[in-house]
Every structure is written in C-alpha cells, then in structure tokens.
Amino acid sequence: MDIPKNITQIGEINHSCKIYVEDYAVSYIKQLNGHALDKELAVGMYGVRREEGGVTYLFLYGASKLNFLQRETRHLSQAVLQEAEKVRKKYFAEYDFLGYRLLNGEMVEGFYVYEQGVCRYVEGYAQFYEKNDSMLRFMVDDRQEEARPEEFDQSKYDVVKRRQEERRQKAAAQALRPERRGRSRNEQKGTASERKDGMADTRIKQMKMTAAAVFIVLCGAGLATMGGEGRLAELRQAAQNLINGMSEQQIPDAQEVSNGEVQVGTLVTEDKLTDAIRKENEAVSASGSLPETDINRKESTEPTQESGSEVTPEPVQESVPEATPEPVQEPVSEATPEPVQEPVSEATPEPDPIPAPVSYTIQKGDTLIGICMSRYGSDERVAEICALNSIINPDDIKIGQKILLP
C-alpha cells in the first residue's frame, strides 16, 4: 500500500486508525468552517478504506455539507445517510461515505469515523497533495449554486398565467352581459310600441267607419221625419257624397290621454254628430222650411202640387240620448294572504372528521425516519412530524420522549 509522503500532520497520531485528507477537501472544510461561527455546520467525508497490519487507513478525497446533521451523534439518522448517499452518487461515486465532522469555527483536529453503523471519534489526521478531479468539480458546482439566482418552475408559471387569462376572459364576458340584456329589452320595447301603434291605427279606422255609419242612420231618421220619398232619395245621395268627402278629408278624431297613453274618443265624435243633426232639426221646425241647399233649389224648379192639398209637416221629435247605465261595482272580497312558506335549506353534508394525532413514546434505537417508514411506508412525513412536535433537529429525540404522529 502506497502511503503519501508529502504530508502535513495535524493533531496527534492515532496508531490504530490513521486518516489522510487530500488538500482540496481540507480547503473546502476550512471554507465551510468560516461560516460556522454563529451556527454549527456538519461536513461529510468520502474516500477509501484500507486495512494493513491491524491498522485502518482512511484516505479522504471528498467533503460535502450535511444539512440534516446538527449535533454530534454516534448513530446517524436515515435522513443524514440518504443525504450523504445522494451527494456521493452525484460527485464521489468511486468512494464510500466514511464519516463526518461538526464545524464550529475552531480548528479541525479529528473526524468521526462511520463504521458498521456506529460513529467513533479519531483524533489527528495528515494533509496530503494529490490530483483530485471529483472534489474540484464539486467545489466549482457549489460555488455556482451559491451565485446562481433563484429559479422557478416554468410549468407553474404557465399555469398561473393561464388562470389569469381565464379570469380576464370571464370578467369581460360578465361585463358584456348587461349590455346585451339592455339591447334585448330595448328591442322588446320597440316591438311593443310598434304593436301598439298598429293597434291604434286599426282602432282609428274602425271608429271612423262607426262614426260614418251612425251619421247615415241619424240623417235617415231626420229625413224620414221631414217627409217625402223623393227628397229622401236625394238626401241619401247627398249624405253619400258627404261621407265620401269625410273619408277623403279624414275627420280629426278627439283624443284623450289616460295613464300616459293616447286613446281615440269615439263617444266625443258621435256626440258632435248628434248635436249637429239636432240643431238642424230645430232650425227646420222653427222656420217651417228646409235650409237653402242644392236640393231646395231643385224643388223650386219642379211643378207644385195641386191647391188645397198642402202638406203639413209633422213635428220633429228630438232624439233623446239614452242614459247609459253605470256599471255596478261588485264588492271586492279581500283576498286572504296565503301563508308564505319559507324555503327549506338543504342539509349541508358534514365534512369528514380530521383524524386526531396519535401519541407515541420514543424507544431505544428509534429515529423519525424509521418511525415514518414503519408507520407510513416512506419518510416523506418527517417534516410534518417535526412541525407538529416543534422539533428543530429530526435527530434530536430522546428515549421516553412522547411525540404526536399525524
């Protein structure tokens, strides 16, 4: 076995176990030890083990920081061993994990050697110089990670961005809904107003025809009272001409306003026609002759009847408008309000009860990782147990200590 010759001895020499540490590993330990003034830091050691003449030789070529180890212990936890194995596979695959050292800012003069699951302290070591590419690569990557800016997962960023875009589109759609509702309401109002206008035009035409028919009937009644079949025919012809003129001139209709809507006053038009005929009949009865019209002029040119056969005009009876019976208002029975049934709220399903934590007493040889592996099948809940029991260091547990398991 070749023993390095160019060495520097640090501390006492142990004759049963001799430790040799390569210069790059020593430099990394000194650098990490400078940051351990306020808080103790642990460093793991990787190298080769040799046996010769009953003496154990340890050649340490690698070193790395152990985050889960915060105090000196003889039994390393599963978390510490897993962390050391992860670094070994990545940077020191050709070496084994051989021990650790807890740093507190003071000079390092020995290491805890890991052998058969137990750590024992060995004082003194020798520093030697040799080509060490694995430790050099680890130190370069470690420095780049310290200077590297904080990174984030691009996929998570894309998910958040997509959710924001969906919320914007949803807000824009909700903003357009009131405008569409307003348009539909305006369209409905416009359609209703057009229907009302059409109905009003139809009513106006019907009332005009009704007024013309009433006028014809009243004229016929008045002419019948004055006598003379020939005159009646001529007056009918004159009434027909008058009706045609009315249809062309479009007699203005009386309008009434009720509840903000315009209503055609049919009764007002009929009353005006009745008053006109009544005044004409009164004038005829007072003068005893028909008013000067085209019909009278034609009668003056016709031969008169024989003497002695004078026609005595019958007295004209004024048409009395019949009284319209007022509608009888039936007593309105007060409606008894029905009792309002309050909506029955559906029963809200009760949430599943959260299982209560289970108390557990630490036994000899127990570790939090071992407890998680036996109880849950993995060590993923170590952090949850530490948070539940306010445990800062997962290795800092004592025999007989009671903890809560989720």
Side-chain angles (χ1 to χ4, degrees):
M1 182 175 57
D2 295 335
I3 303 297
K5 299 182 183 205
N6 189 10
I7 62 174
T8 301
Q9 182 65 35
I10 307 294
E12 300 293 335
I13 299 177
N14 191 311
H15 297 284
S16 62
C17 182
K18 296 183 179 181
I19 301 176
Y20 295 87
V21 185
E22 203 276 327
D23 180 62
Y24 279 143
V26 174
S27 300
Y28 177 78
I29 293 172
K30 291 181 180 180
Q31 179 183 357
L32 194 63
N33 196 19
H35 299 286
L37 298 176
D38 299 330
K39 180 181 179 181
E40 292 185 350
L41 300 176
V43 59
M45 306 303 298
Y46 308 89
V48 180
R49 184 192 301 271
R50 296 282 186 270
E51 299 285 344
E52 186 177 338
V55 180
T56 302
Y57 294 89
L58 301 179
F59 301 94
L60 306 180
Y61 292 93
S64 68
K65 180 182 177 182
L66 298 177
N67 297 312
F68 288 99
L69 184 60
Q70 297 180 355
R71 65 182 181 88
E72 295 180 354
T73 179
R74 289 176 55 84
H75 301 279
L76 298 177
S77 65
Q78 292 293 331
V80 175
L81 293 177
Q82 290 178 1
E83 182 182 10
E85 181 65 14
K86 183 178 179 181
V87 176
R88 188 194 70 80
K89 288 182 178 180
K90 185 175 182 181
Y91 294 99
F92 312 110
E94 68 274 20
Y95 303 125
D96 298 325
F97 175 71
L98 298 181
Y100 73 92
R101 171 66 187 186
L102 198 67
L103 305 177
N104 54 8
E106 298 180 359
M107 183 177 178
V108 177
E109 295 182 355
F111 295 91
Y112 279 90
V113 178
Y114 181 72
E115 186 176 7
Q116 296 181 356
V118 180
C119 298
R120 62 187 181 92
Y121 182 72
V122 177
E123 185 179 4
Y125 68 93
Q127 178 180 355
F128 70 97
Y129 303 91
E130 191 174 320
K131 185 178 180 181
N132 191 357
D133 295 334
S134 58
M135 188 62 197
L136 179 61
R137 182 167 59 90
F138 171 79
M139 294 176 67
V140 171
D141 292 346
D142 185 66
R143 290 179 182 177
Q144 290 180 353
E145 289 181 0
E146 291 180 356
R148 186 179 303 169
E150 183 179 359
E151 297 180 356
F152 59 89
D153 191 355
Q154 183 65 28
S155 61
K156 294 182 179 179
Y157 175 78
D158 295 337
V159 171
V160 173
K161 187 176 180 180
R162 185 171 62 255
R163 289 178 180 175
Q164 291 178 351
E165 187 64 25
E166 291 176 355
R167 284 196 291 267
R168 291 194 189 97
Q169 294 178 359
K170 187 176 181 180
Q174 291 179 354
L176 291 176
R177 286 179 184 175
E179 183 177 354
R180 292 178 180 175
R181 291 178 182 174
R183 290 179 181 176
S184 60
R185 290 177 181 175
N186 294 333
E187 291 175 357
Q188 291 177 0
K189 290 181 180 179
T191 305
S193 62
E194 291 176 359
R195 290 178 182 175
K196 289 181 180 180
D197 294 341
M199 294 174 64
D201 294 339
T202 304
R203 291 176 182 175
I204 290 172
K205 292 179 181 179
Q206 292 176 356
M207 286 185 286
K208 285 182 179 181
M209 297 298 295
T210 303
V214 172
F215 177 75
I216 293 172
V217 172
L218 294 177
C219 288
L223 293 174
T225 56
M226 291 185 289
E229 294 296 333
R231 294 179 180 179
L232 180 59
E234 294 176 356
L235 290 175
R236 285 180 180 175
Q237 183 63 33
Q240 184 65 32
N241 296 333
L242 182 59
I243 290 172
N244 295 334
M246 288 175 59
S247 61
E248 294 177 358
Q249 295 177 2
Q250 296 182 355
I251 300 174
D253 299 325
Q255 296 180 351
E256 297 179 358
V257 179
S258 175
N259 296 329
E261 296 182 357
V262 178
Q263 300 178 354
V264 178
T266 305
L267 297 177
V268 177
T269 306
E270 293 178 0
D271 293 341
K272 290 182 178 181
L273 292 174
T274 304
D275 293 340
I277 295 172
R278 182 174 54 80
K279 291 179 180 181
E280 185 177 356
N281 292 337
E282 289 178 356
V284 170
S285 61
S287 60
S289 61
L290 292 174
E292 186 66 20
T293 60
D294 295 337
I295 298 174
N296 294 336
R297 295 190 185 94
K298 291 180 181 180
E299 290 179 354
S300 61
T301 58
E302 295 178 357
T304 58
Q305 297 179 357
E306 297 180 358
S307 60
S309 60
E310 296 180 356
V311 180
T312 305
E314 295 180 2
V316 179
Q317 296 180 359
E318 297 181 358
S319 60
V320 181
E322 296 180 0
T324 303
E326 297 181 358
V328 181
Q329 297 182 357
E330 297 180 359
V332 181
S333 60
E334 297 181 357
T336 304
E338 297 180 358
V340 180
Q341 297 182 358
E342 297 182 356
V344 180
S345 60
E346 297 181 358
T348 304
E350 296 183 358
D352 296 335
I354 300 174
V358 180
S359 178
Y360 179 80
T361 303
I362 303 298
Q363 304 295 330
K364 183 177 180 181
D366 282 346
T367 62
L368 293 185
I369 294 179
I371 294 172
C372 286
M373 294 293 295
S374 62
R375 184 174 179 84
Y376 306 109
S378 67
D379 58 348
E380 295 179 354
R381 307 189 71 174
V382 173
E384 185 178 353
I385 295 175
C386 293
L388 183 61
N389 296 275
S390 301
I391 298 176
I392 300 176
N393 182 9
D395 295 328
D396 190 10
I397 56 176
K398 300 178 181 179
I399 300 175
Q401 178 180 357
K402 292 184 177 181
I403 62 174
L404 296 177
L405 300 179

